Amino acid sequence: MTALKVRSPRKPKGQGAERREEILDAALKLFSAKGLHTVSTRQIAEAVGISQPALYAYFATKDDITAELCIRAFAILVERMEAARADFIPTTQCFEKALRVYVDFGLQNPDAYRVAFMVEKGLDGTYKERVGDRPMMAGIGAFQRFAEIVAEMRDAGLTHDDDVQRMTQTLWAGLHGLVSLLIARPDFPWVEREVLIACHISLLRRGVLKGVG
Amino acid sequence: MTALKVRSPRKPKGQGAERREEILDAALKLFSAKGLHTVSTRQIAEAVGISQPALYAYFATKDDITAELCIRAFAILVERMEAARADFIPTTQCFEKALRVYVDFGLQNPDAYRVAFMVEKGLDGTYKERVGDRPMMAGIGAFQRFAEIVAEMRDAGLTHDDDVQRMTQTLWAGLHGLVSLLIARPDFPWVEREVLIACHISLLRRGVLKGVG
DNA sequence: CACAATAATCGATCAGTGATAACTTATCAC
DNA sequence: GTGATAAGTTATCACTGATCGATTATTGTG
């Protein structure tokens, strides 16, 4: 491993934002390849082709980089949830499809998902103060879309429970459980993944909706 | 903060194991108070009253300390699950009670729970190689108890699905979702906790069991 | 074209991290 | 006493995220 540092040419004067994107791109790739905690700021900087302190011109903190990635990823989720909601009618099929959107997103964006819902917060509130709950709030946007869907199901008289908040939180927790375990423990002797997901979604649907089992 | 280092007297010759316990005790308290990632080996050592390198006479790695704490905590869970299974008869009440045991355990031992199921593994396999999957395996012991309970329910003809593995994994994921979210995101505007737990358990029960909604 | 302004970036450095090596000290059996 | 050895030490390493102050390169202006 020679690892001569190859420097990227300095950006023209107004183009700092471009470098910022490069940093986010490099970070995303590294995180996906090696996991969140094992990637250092120096590795990110080297991948971009700049010095390590240069990162701090664009991000106050390493956590801010992950937070931004996370927020962007969740914007995509909200988008997908809205798409699912656009052609939503209160049926079992539509309902399951919406759940499936969430699961697929989590498994396709494991790093963002980790940062948003699985990363340790630090009981002293450190994490919270630095990065805010911005990533989580972004995730909550998706949660709200879920609440709307659940509300529609309730209004159609299809749910067991009438309290939408309560039901949505429970449903969300149920989905999150599968997604986070598949992400955190890929080596567990899981039943075939597609089968498991289908089975899980059916279970949640039965738990929320009245009618045919 | 003066923080004069107060040294604990050297242990007699055969009593190294006692120091080991002291380390685990101190670590558990610190982890509970400040969270896992924010506690350093130096802090643990100071709490015990020994030098930082002295830790490494008892544990090869910082992760090994958390792993041991985790394994011990999960031994308790297995114990409780076995107790729940001892006076188990295939009824809705007993089933829900068993689920409740799991949730209560997770919320009472959040740090152990984190290490076992929520801590990042490192895609390069670092975490796995050092600490093994010993903590997770300890957790799996509890999972097996669940499987047995589910099997009893199936044999009584009460479940929707006949595949015990599949159902148990799904059920476990559902429980884990609530526990892990409550641990990781305590600040989320949750519905009142007891209500939420009860609601979630009902949902999972409806998802798994046939019969009355 | 020269020049000041400034965005972009760098090298040096800091305190803190987990971990290791080499050494000391207390305690024990004989 | 005298070795052997468990228990613990200090010094140090490579690495981490982060800060400081200086240094480029570029730009619009005179």
Side-chain angles (χ1 to χ4, degrees):
Chain A
M1 285 303 145
T2 46
L4 304 159
K5 56 177 90 174
V6 181
R7 282 282 142 101
S8 163
R10 175 194 274 252
K11 293 291 171 190
K13 230 170 169 182
Q15 315 305 82
E18 190 176 314
R19 176 83 349 132
R20 202 184 140 91
E21 292 307 312
E22 291 178 16
I23 294 171
L24 289 169
D25 284 356
L28 181 60
K29 272 180 201 151
L30 285 171
F31 287 160
S32 302
K34 307 209 222 175
L36 268 172
H37 272 305
T38 58
V39 176
S40 70
T41 52
R42 277 155 181 93
Q43 288 174 306
I44 298 172
E46 191 189 327
V48 176
I50 57 178
S51 70
Q52 180 252 358
L55 294 176
Y56 291 84
Y58 304 98
F59 300 93
T61 276
K62 188 195 179 187
D63 284 340
D64 283 350
I65 299 178
T66 70
E68 174 111 15
L69 286 175
C70 176
I71 290 167
R72 292 185 178 205
F74 272 90
I76 298 173
L77 173 59
V78 169
E79 216 171 84
R80 292 200 200 167
M81 290 298 300
E82 266 168 1
R85 202 178 156 276
D87 50 336
F88 181 83
I89 47 171
T91 63
T92 301
Q93 287 76 23
C94 269
F95 185 73
E96 290 205 359
K97 209 164 119 191
L99 304 194
R100 181 79 208 202
V101 166
Y102 184 91
V103 172
D104 286 343
F105 172 83
L107 297 179
Q108 283 162 21
N109 302 79
D111 297 291
Y113 197 87
R114 252 188 282 253
V115 176
F117 296 131
M118 297 162 71
V119 158
E120 177 122 31
K121 292 193 70 178
L123 303 189
D124 51 356
T126 319
Y127 174 77
K128 189 178 177 183
E129 275 162 37
R130 304 221 66 145
V131 112
D133 271 340
R134 285 158 48 229
M136 184 173 101
M137 285 310 162
I140 295 322
F143 175 83
Q144 285 308 332
R145 287 352 178 255
F146 255 118
E148 293 168 10
I149 285 174
V150 171
E152 282 204 45
M153 298 302 284
R154 183 204 54 182
D155 294 345
L158 296 172
T159 60
H160 278 107
D161 192 342
D162 267 358
D163 188 323
V164 171
Q165 277 298 310
R166 193 161 65 193
M167 242 187 325
T168 310
Q169 290 185 3
T170 273
L171 177 63
W172 174 40
L175 286 171
H176 169 75
L178 186 67
V179 173
S180 64
L181 275 181
L182 287 176
I183 289 174
R185 293 293 175 263
D187 298 333
F188 181 78
W190 297 109
V191 163
E192 201 274 305
R193 179 170 287 206
E194 276 306 312
V195 174
L196 181 66
I197 293 171
C199 181
H200 193 70
I201 286 178
S202 298
L203 177 138
L204 293 176
R205 185 248 306 153
R206 282 193 300 268
V208 173
L209 303 185
K210 292 198 267 203
V212 285
Chain B
M1 287 303 140
T2 47
L4 304 159
K5 57 176 89 173
V6 181
R7 283 279 140 102
S8 163
R10 174 195 276 252
K11 294 291 174 189
K13 226 167 172 184
Q15 316 303 74
E18 192 175 312
R19 179 78 356 129
R20 201 184 140 92
E21 291 307 311
E22 291 179 17
I23 293 170
L24 289 168
D25 284 356
L28 181 59
K29 272 179 201 153
L30 285 171
F31 287 159
S32 302
K34 308 210 221 174
L36 268 171
H37 272 308
T38 59
V39 176
S40 70
T41 53
R42 279 158 180 90
Q43 287 174 304
I44 297 172
E46 191 189 326
V48 176
I50 57 178
S51 70
Q52 179 253 355
L55 295 176
Y56 290 84
Y58 303 100
F59 299 94
T61 275
K62 188 194 179 188
D63 284 340
D64 282 351
I65 299 178
T66 71
E68 174 111 15
L69 286 174
C70 176
I71 289 167
R72 291 184 179 205
F74 272 90
I76 298 173
L77 173 58
V78 169
E79 218 170 82
R80 291 199 201 168
M81 291 299 299
E82 266 168 359
R85 202 176 156 275
D87 51 335
F88 181 83
I89 48 172
T91 64
T92 302
Q93 287 77 24
C94 268
F95 184 72
E96 290 206 359
K97 210 164 117 191
L99 303 195
R100 181 80 206 202
V101 166
Y102 184 91
V103 172
D104 286 342
F105 171 83
L107 297 178
Q108 284 162 20
N109 301 80
D111 297 290
Y113 197 87
R114 252 187 281 252
V115 176
F117 296 129
M118 297 162 71
V119 157
E120 177 123 30
K121 292 192 70 176
L123 303 189
D124 49 358
T126 320
Y127 173 78
K128 188 177 176 185
E129 276 163 36
R130 304 222 65 147
V131 112
D133 271 340
R134 284 157 50 230
M136 182 172 102
M137 285 311 163
I140 293 326
F143 175 82
Q144 284 308 332
R145 284 1 175 249
F146 254 117
E148 293 168 9
I149 285 173
V150 171
E152 282 203 45
M153 299 300 285
R154 183 204 54 182
D155 293 345
L158 297 172
T159 60
H160 277 107
D161 192 342
D162 267 358
D163 187 323
V164 172
Q165 277 297 309
R166 193 161 65 192
M167 244 188 322
T168 310
Q169 290 185 3
T170 273
L171 177 63
W172 173 40
L175 286 171
H176 169 75
L178 186 66
V179 173
S180 65
L181 274 181
L182 287 176
I183 289 174
R185 292 293 175 264
D187 299 334
F188 182 78
W190 297 109
V191 163
E192 201 274 306
R193 181 171 285 207
E194 277 305 312
V195 174
L196 181 65
I197 293 171
C199 180
H200 193 69
I201 287 178
S202 298
L203 177 137
L204 293 177
R205 186 248 306 152
R206 282 194 300 267
V208 172
L209 304 185
K210 291 197 268 204
V212 284

